[in-house]
Amino acid sequence: MNEIPQITPQELRKRLAAGEELVLIDVREEDEVAFGMIPGAQHIPMGQIPQQTEKLPSDTEIIFICRSGNRSQRVCEYLQQFGIQGSNLSGGMIEWDDTSAE
């Protein structure tokens, strides 16, 4: 198993502000995303990832997001076996919300 790349909320904000084309996928549940998502993110609950695997782009960086970074880390590990390289938003939405005040 390869090491999963991690991206910090601060780094992600910089890259989005710079206009980078990133694919953001939020793997939280319906009731969690109701509280807000990163602008431009797509919502695919973790349990639906296996059925959605073919729809994920293989030629562009995908950043997976959850509440704390644990579920998105597991999604990245799962997708590795299909040759899909994802990055994990370390600290998840908890840290993202913390950096919004900066």
Side-chain angles (χ1 to χ4, degrees), residues 7-8 14 18 26-27 29-30 41 44-46 53 58-59 66 73 79 90-91 93:
I7 182 168
T8 65
K14 280 191 196 111
D26 195 318
V27 299
E29 297 303 314
E30 214 55 66
I44 305 176
M46 182 176 174
T53 305
S58 56
D59 55 349
C66 71
Q73 175 77 19
L79 290 171
S90 59
M93 290 302 288

Side-chain angles (χ1 to χ4, degrees), residues 10 12 18 30-31 34 36 38 41 51-52 56 59 66 72 74 77 80 86 88 90 101-102:
Q10 294 86 343
L12 180 56
E30 214 55 66
D31 58 333
I38 296 174
Q51 297 92 319
Q52 303 285 335
L56 300 174
D59 55 349
C66 71
S72 45
R74 289 205 298 275
E77 289 166 359
Q80 262 191 353
N88 183 37
S90 59
E102 288 176 16

Side-chain angles (χ1 to χ4, degrees), residues 33-68:
V33 296
F35 293 104
M37 287 170 60
I38 296 174
Q42 302 169 45
H43 179 224
I44 305 176
M46 182 176 174
Q48 290 177 24
I49 292 288
Q51 297 92 319
Q52 303 285 335
T53 305
E54 289 98 62
K55 296 183 184 164
L56 300 174
S58 56
D59 55 349
T60 182
E61 184 176 359
I62 309 174
I63 296 166
F64 289 94
I65 303 153
C66 71
R67 192 181 71 85
S68 66

